[in-house]
Amino acid sequence: MPAILHLLAGLMICASAQARSVETVLHVVRRGDTLAALSARYLGRASLWRQLSILNNLADPRHLTVGKKINIQVGAASWQPQAARMVQVQGTASVVRKGKRAAEPLTVGDRVAEGDAVRTAPGSFAALLLSEGSIVHMQADTTLRVSRLRKLNATGATRVNMRLESGRFDAAVTPVLPNGRFQVSTPLAIAGVRGTRFGMTALGNGAVGLDVLEGAVEFGARGVGAKTRVDAGTGATAAPGTRRVALHALATALDLSTVPTDYDRPVISLTLPGVPVGTAVLAQIASDPSLRNVLQSQIVRDRPIRFSTLDDGNYYLAVRVIDNDGVMGQQRVVPIRLKARPEAPWPYSPHSGIRIPRREASLVCTDVQGAYAYDFQLSHMPDFTSLVAEAAKQPTCRWDLSALDEGTYYWRAATIARNSQGAIVRGPYGDASSFVVTPFPVAPEPTLEYDGSTIVRWTAEAGSHYELQIASDPNFTRNVQLLELDEPQAKLALTQRCEYFLRVRTVGASGATSAFSATRRLRASVLCTEDDGVVLDSDGVPVQTGH
């Protein structure tokens, strides 16, 4: 007797497990359908048509009415497990496989199966392509578990169940076939769609935010039978402690009409107009206007948006503001163009803003690896709307100029190189550098005065300083003194020598120096001593001295 009880218990357990593995799908009768054909298609055996007849309580199983709904119970074997594929990884993404504890890194092309949990690190982004064509974009610091991903062998309908454990995702869901399903859940809420563009955010403290751009989403708390329909252009939030869903219109899309559309630097940097201080913005770069292939994504607050490591080409910039509830607003998408290669050289000399005298000048920039030649432009205008001169295909990153007129100049250079197809192309011009051409300083004309001491004066030149030389010979080879002066005069404290020679020159603001002035000769007006020790009077006559 106990053996029989154990056998019955075992049979009941098996029956219970089998019941849990059986799902009911719905088929709408079309012209030409028969129960035998439906049985073969869904259950794998035409002979099981009587089960369908009994389950659906058919009075005449040999004649099916077009449009009638037939319930079919299919087992687990009728559903084929599918896999998703990583199609974009920016930064770091990892996966914890079903039944494992340790995470492993993910790269583009890696597969994600049922039960796997995918995570993006802070500052990262990843895209997951599902087997039925839907694509899921995971923002930074997000964990998303693929609970179920299976296809019904009979029809190709797919059932997708994912669980958002933290962070934010955006999905472009392909239209769901009959008997298919696309659901995303959190510990608090669940969302079901049948082909739409929407996003869901785990807001913290268990709250959930939802935003719908296209189509509609059935959204509500877990365990609540009736769900709330959230249409395109609408956001919704659900918070712990309440079973109600709060709806509100999505924030208005930003006006990007003043944002530049052409970029010629490897790093795209832009500041969005009309964003209030403290407001977060989602910014994305994609290769297509529908944003299925998002290449880079970031959320910024109170700082410029920057995208780097992009190849030259045409892209689409998409931005959305995030409202105070943490829900994404309406999306604005604009086309942009990047043409930054070959990269421009950096200006090296003269340093920007430097003053140089009127003379021959050389504009020097840093060489670019692989460059074929360089083009230069010179202008008085910082926007180069008119040119003073230009030089094409310079073999090195240097342009030697003849004498220039006074004034402010701006110059820049572009690289000429072969592209990946072997064609010779010119890249964009680099950042401009400036310099100021000033006239050579004028040699002073000093005058001498004596009022108990010798004073030298000359005419001042704005922005300049001066060098005064004093020597005991006209060639300035002996007993030379150098005085550096900021004022156009000097009071000389001379020793009791008989004869001195002096000259002065101007040092301009650019560092250029004038020629020395004509040499001035000074004789002492009192007794003085020659180099050989002879004492002379003011007329140069030796004076007899006693011993």
Side-chain angles (χ1 to χ4, degrees):
M1 188 68 177
I4 296 176
L5 293 176
H6 284 302
L7 177 60
L8 291 174
L11 292 174
M12 291 175 65
I13 292 173
C14 291
S16 176
Q18 184 177 8
R20 286 195 301 268
S21 65
V22 172
E23 295 184 62
T24 299
V25 297
L26 192 67
H27 177 86
V28 179
V29 174
R30 294 176 294 182
R31 186 178 300 277
D33 282 347
T34 65
L35 283 186
L38 295 181
S39 177
R41 180 181 179 186
Y42 285 93
L43 304 179
R45 292 167 56 189
S47 61
L48 299 177
W49 65 268
R50 289 182 178 83
Q51 294 183 12
L52 297 185
S53 179
I54 295 171
L55 178 64
N56 290 275
N57 195 25
L58 298 178
D60 185 1
R62 297 182 182 278
H63 297 87
L64 300 180
T65 304
V66 174
K68 182 177 179 57
K69 296 177 181 179
I70 302 295
N71 293 312
I72 305 172
Q73 290 184 335
V74 297
S78 299
W79 296 92
Q80 182 67 33
Q82 303 293 296
R85 180 168 54 90
M86 302 301 300
V87 293
Q88 185 65 244
V89 176
Q90 171 195 336
T92 302
S94 60
V95 61
V96 177
R97 301 293 183 184
K98 181 180 180 180
K100 305 291 185 180
R101 292 186 177 182
E104 58 184 71
L106 281 174
T107 58
V108 172
D110 287 348
R111 294 168 68 84
V112 175
E114 272 190 3
D116 293 348
V118 179
R119 175 171 175 77
T120 53
S124 300
F125 170 81
L128 191 64
L129 179 63
L130 305 187
S131 57
E132 36 69 278
S134 297
I135 192 162
V136 178
H137 296 146
M138 298 175 59
Q139 303 301 327
D141 208 12
T142 294
T143 299
L144 187 66
R145 184 178 298 276
V146 181
S147 304
R148 189 178 190 191
L149 182 56
R150 297 200 172 193
K151 181 177 69 174
L152 183 62
N153 294 328
T155 65
T158 303
R159 290 195 173 179
V160 178
N161 292 86
M162 295 188 295
R163 182 180 175 90
L164 178 64
E165 298 180 357
S166 64
R168 158 84 187 187
F169 80 88
D170 295 274
V173 181
T174 58
V176 176
L177 296 176
N179 298 306
R181 181 186 302 146
F182 192 107
Q183 288 185 340
V184 183
S185 63
T186 72
L188 173 69
I190 188 167
V193 303
R194 302 196 63 83
T196 185
R197 289 180 60 209
F198 77 107
M200 186 180 286
T201 307
L203 299 174
N205 299 322
V208 182
L210 178 83
D211 51 270
V212 182
L213 293 177
E214 296 177 4
V217 175
E218 297 293 328
F219 183 59
R222 294 176 67 93
V224 176
K227 299 294 187 289
T228 300
R229 179 185 172 95
V230 185
D231 292 311
T234 306
T237 55
T242 177
R243 290 177 172 269
R244 294 194 309 172
V245 171
L247 300 179
H248 64 273
L250 297 183
T252 304
L254 291 175
D255 181 5
L256 301 184
S257 60
T258 60
V259 172
T261 57
D262 290 289
Y263 297 87
D264 58 8
R265 296 294 182 269
V267 177
I268 295 176
S269 181
L270 57 98
T271 300
L272 298 177
V275 179
V277 175
T279 300
V281 174
L282 171 67
Q284 296 177 307
I285 288 286
S287 61
D288 62 304
S290 63
L291 269 68
R292 282 185 60 86
N293 188 26
V294 173
L295 304 176
Q296 295 187 28
S297 179
Q298 57 186 267
I299 293 177
V300 299
R301 189 191 306 268
D302 297 335
R303 64 178 176 85
I305 296 168
R306 289 187 174 87
F307 296 106
S308 60
T309 68
L310 292 169
D311 294 330
D312 286 355
N314 296 316
Y315 297 96
Y316 294 87
L317 168 68
V319 296
R320 303 174 69 182
V321 298
I322 304 174
D323 66 21
N324 294 332
D325 292 326
V327 176
M328 297 283 179
Q330 293 278 18
Q331 189 173 72
R332 183 79 70 187
V333 181
V334 294
I336 64 171
R337 177 177 179 269
L338 176 64
K339 178 63 177 75
R341 281 84 175 184
E343 292 188 34
W346 296 345
Y348 178 74
S349 177
H351 298 301
S352 189
I354 198 170
R355 302 173 71 86
I356 62 175
R358 182 168 22 182
R359 56 183 171 83
E360 293 184 349
S362 295
L363 307 181
V364 182
C365 46
T366 57
D367 284 311
V368 176
Q369 187 174 5
Y372 168 78
Y374 302 90
D375 284 355
F376 286 83
Q377 289 183 335
L378 183 69
S379 176
H380 286 304
M381 310 294 293
D383 58 2
F384 292 84
T385 50
S386 62
L387 298 180
V388 174
E390 58 185 333
K393 297 182 179 179
Q394 298 294 101
T396 63
C397 210
R398 178 189 179 101
W399 184 19
D400 295 320
L401 297 168
S402 57
L404 297 169
D405 293 332
E406 298 174 29
T408 299
Y409 290 86
Y410 299 88
W411 68 280
R412 62 185 183 181
T415 303
I416 302 174
R418 295 186 182 274
N419 62 16
S420 57
Q421 289 76 41
I424 295 177
V425 296
R426 189 186 72 187
Y429 278 98
D431 294 335
S433 185
S434 66
F435 61 92
V436 180
V437 174
T438 61
F440 268 112
V442 177
E445 292 294 333
T447 59
L448 301 175
E449 301 176 10
Y450 184 80
D451 62 353
S453 60
T454 302
I455 299 175
V456 185
R457 302 182 191 274
W458 57 90
T459 302
E461 187 170 330
S464 300
H465 60 280
Y466 310 93
E467 293 179 351
L468 176 66
Q469 285 186 344
I470 305 172
S472 60
D473 70 301
N475 295 322
F476 291 83
T477 59
R478 298 196 310 272
N479 303 315
V480 178
Q481 299 179 53
L482 175 64
L483 302 179
E484 295 184 350
L485 306 168
D486 293 327
E487 300 296 328
Q489 64 180 13
K491 181 179 289 188
L492 306 180
L494 302 174
T495 60
Q496 294 299 311
R497 301 187 59 81
C498 295
E499 191 173 50
Y500 292 92
F501 299 89
L502 64 82
R503 61 185 182 182
V504 64
R505 67 179 178 183
T506 301
V507 181
S510 65
T513 57
S514 70
F516 276 107
S517 65
T519 301
R520 301 295 194 269
R521 177 171 176 266
L522 283 77
R523 288 197 59 83
S525 58
V526 294
L527 295 179
C528 59
T529 304
E530 289 279 77
D531 291 339
D532 57 6
V534 176
V535 177
L536 304 177
D537 62 17
S538 58
D539 294 325
V541 177
V543 176
Q544 298 295 324
T545 59
H547 297 281

